[in-house]
Amino acid sequence: MKKKIDPTLFDLCLGIFIYGIVFEIILLFFSRKVSYSVGLWIGVILAIAGSVHMWWCLNRGLEMASKDAAKTVGVNNLIRYLVIVVVIMILACTNLANPIFAFCGYMGMKVSAYLNPFIRRAREKVFKI
């Protein structure tokens, strides 16, 4: 059985990825530090994973009773935030990547959510979907 991806989730993930590319171009213009780019892409990957997890959690919560749904959605939100905090803390304690740029990459989810109507129109024109 073939499942179709939710168009809103696809648009959100596409917007996060485009945000990452634009941010990377601007970042390379000002600095060539690899840790900045690695941090940015860790944040972008976290944003995409967080968006998919949020979509999954909300779809699951809609199928439950209201009392159970509120608890389940709340617990999943805490798990998602905990993962972000743990990853940022690991980046802050090691020299693997820059945690500030990881946070900037994660903020791509917010930017993509605000630009979602424009991304949807552009996707419909380009891909005829």
Side-chain angles (χ1 to χ4, degrees), residues 69-88:
K71 184 177 179 182
T72 302
V73 170
V75 168
N76 280 305
N77 285 341
L78 288 175
I79 290 169
R80 193 168 44 254
Y81 293 137
L82 183 65
V83 167
I84 295 163
V85 168
V86 167
V87 170
I88 297 290

Side-chain angles (χ1 to χ4, degrees), residues 5-124:
I5 188 169
D6 184 16
T8 304
L9 177 64
F10 179 78
D11 293 342
L12 186 64
C13 292
L14 179 65
I16 294 168
F17 185 71
I18 292 170
Y19 168 84
I21 291 171
V22 170
F23 201 107
E24 180 70 26
I25 290 169
I26 294 169
L27 185 61
L28 288 174
F29 183 72
F30 290 106
S31 176
R32 301 272 182 195
K33 288 191 177 181
V34 176
S35 67
Y36 292 176
S37 294
V38 172
L40 173 70
W41 288 103
I42 287 173
V44 167
I45 290 168
L46 276 174
I48 291 173
S51 298
V52 171
H53 181 262
M54 191 181 313
W55 169 81
W56 173 79
C57 172
L58 290 173
N59 275 350
R60 207 172 120 203
L62 288 173
E63 297 172 354
M64 298 178 172
S66 63
K67 184 179 178 183
D68 295 333
K71 184 177 179 182
T72 302
V73 170
V75 168
N76 280 305
N77 285 341
L78 288 175
I79 290 169
R80 193 168 44 254
Y81 293 137
L82 183 65
V83 167
I84 295 163
V85 168
V86 167
V87 170
I88 297 290
M89 291 299 290
I90 290 171
L91 293 179
C93 294
T94 64
N95 288 329
L96 178 67
N98 189 309
I100 306 274
F101 284 100
F103 180 75
C104 290
Y106 189 76
M107 286 297 104
M109 185 189 312
K110 304 293 184 190
V111 173
S112 179
Y114 290 129
L115 297 177
N116 199 292
F118 305 109
I119 293 169
R120 175 164 297 222
R121 273 188 246 133
R123 179 189 47 88
E124 288 172 349

